[in-house]
């Protein structure tokens, strides 16, 4: 067991590199930090965001990290060098959640502005906006086949989207604001937690 000390405020997000050697953390202190978690060594600090870092996602090849912030932007980094490659701007409120497609080409963001946005993170192009929630989007999870994204919101709903078309496939209403969700490897079962303490199990298809 080891505790990594370095941030000066809450740590909101963490992501492990695919090789399992490094962890990247995002914090309310407006920074990302890169750590060798086995030794506890802090390798570098990524500083550009002007507000809290709420979400961190690594590309499948492990080469780049994308951060989402209360400053309403996504930023793409080469985490090995600390170089900021580009900023993705389009949300009108905080970015709370990120999900990268399995092919590594696109990133989906969820925001306090009640929308999801689909981006080509390599070019910075915003491809589409998914609108349907009536309150903040807190969490995102992609199905294993990469075809659908699930969003959880303060409006007490989970929504299943075809992110390539923007179509809402299904919507599930729960007892409280959705604070977390995950999709099982079979792509059929979803588990979600809400702020009232409930844990919900859902099926996306079949009886």
């Amino acid at each position: 067991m080891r505790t990594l000390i370095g941030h000066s405020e809450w740590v909101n997000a963490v992501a492990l590199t695919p090789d399992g050697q490094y962890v990247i953390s995002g914090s309310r202190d407006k920074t990302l930090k890169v750590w060798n978690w086995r030794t506890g060594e802090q390798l570098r600090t990524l500083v550009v965001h002007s507000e809290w870092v709420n979400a961190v996602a690594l590309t499948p090849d492990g080469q780049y990290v994308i951060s989402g912030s209360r400053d309403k932007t996504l930023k793409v980094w080469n985490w090995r060098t600390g170089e900021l490659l580009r900023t993705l701007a389009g949300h009108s409120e905080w970015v709370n959640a990120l999900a990268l497609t399995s092919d590594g080409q696109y990133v989906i963001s969820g925001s306090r502005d009640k929308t999801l946005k689909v981006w080509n993170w390599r070019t910075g192009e915003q491809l589409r906006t998914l609108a349907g929630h009536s309150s903040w989007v807190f969490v995102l999870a992609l199905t294993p086949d990469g075809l659908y994204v699930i969003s959880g919101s303060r409006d007490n709903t989970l929504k299943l989207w075809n992110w390539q078309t923007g179509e809402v496939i299904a919507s599930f209403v729960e007892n409280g604001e959705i604070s977390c969700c995950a999709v099982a490897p079979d792509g059929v079962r979803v588990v979600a937690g809400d702020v009232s303490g409930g844990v919900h199990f859902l099926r996306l298809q079949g009886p």
Side-chain angles (χ1 to χ4, degrees):
M1 295 290 290
R2 177 173 286 107
T3 300
L4 310 181
I5 303 296
H7 285 293
S8 60
E9 291 284 351
W10 297 6
V11 176
N12 291 329
V14 292
L16 273 163
T17 57
D19 62 10
Q21 294 191 53
Y22 305 100
V23 65
I24 302 172
S25 53
S27 168
R28 280 194 179 189
D29 67 12
K30 309 174 189 177
T31 73
L32 292 85
K33 290 184 182 291
V34 181
W35 312 81
N36 181 323
W37 66 268
R38 295 181 188 277
T39 66
E41 181 185 5
Q42 181 184 310
L43 303 176
R44 64 188 51 83
T45 299
L46 312 182
V47 184
V48 170
H49 281 295
S50 60
E51 278 288 354
W52 306 349
V53 178
N54 292 329
V56 176
L58 278 153
T59 56
D61 63 8
Q63 296 301 305
Y64 305 100
V65 65
I66 302 173
S67 53
S69 170
R70 188 175 174 175
D71 67 13
K72 309 173 188 176
T73 71
L74 292 75
K75 294 187 184 294
V76 181
W77 311 79
N78 180 327
W79 63 268
R80 295 181 184 276
T81 65
E83 179 187 5
L84 175 65
L85 301 177
R86 63 187 48 84
T87 296
L88 311 182
H91 283 293
S92 60
E93 284 287 353
W94 310 354
V95 178
N96 292 324
L98 299 173
L100 272 154
T101 57
S102 54
D103 62 8
Q105 293 190 57
Y106 306 102
V107 63
I108 304 169
S109 54
S111 170
R112 187 175 173 173
D113 68 12
K114 310 174 189 177
T115 72
L116 293 76
K117 290 184 183 290
V118 181
W119 312 80
N120 181 324
W121 63 267
R122 295 183 184 274
T123 66
E125 180 185 5
Q126 181 185 311
L127 302 177
R128 64 188 53 85
T129 297
L130 283 54
H133 283 293
S134 60
S135 192
W136 308 357
V137 178
F138 276 145
V139 294
L140 298 174
L142 278 156
T143 55
D145 61 12
L147 297 178
Y148 305 100
V149 64
I150 297 168
S151 57
S153 170
R154 194 178 182 183
D155 66 10
N156 297 10
T157 70
L158 281 167
K159 292 186 184 297
L160 175 69
W161 309 77
N162 180 325
W163 62 266
Q164 297 177 78
T165 66
E167 179 188 3
V168 178
I169 306 299
S171 187
F172 307 91
V173 180
E174 301 301 347
N175 299 323
E177 302 169 16
I178 305 299
S179 55
C180 56
C181 69
V183 185
D186 62 12
V188 174
R189 292 166 293 172
V190 176
V191 59
D194 69 36
V195 299
S196 70
V199 179
H200 311 279
F201 293 85
L202 307 166
R203 288 185 66 89
L204 297 182
Q205 56 182 285

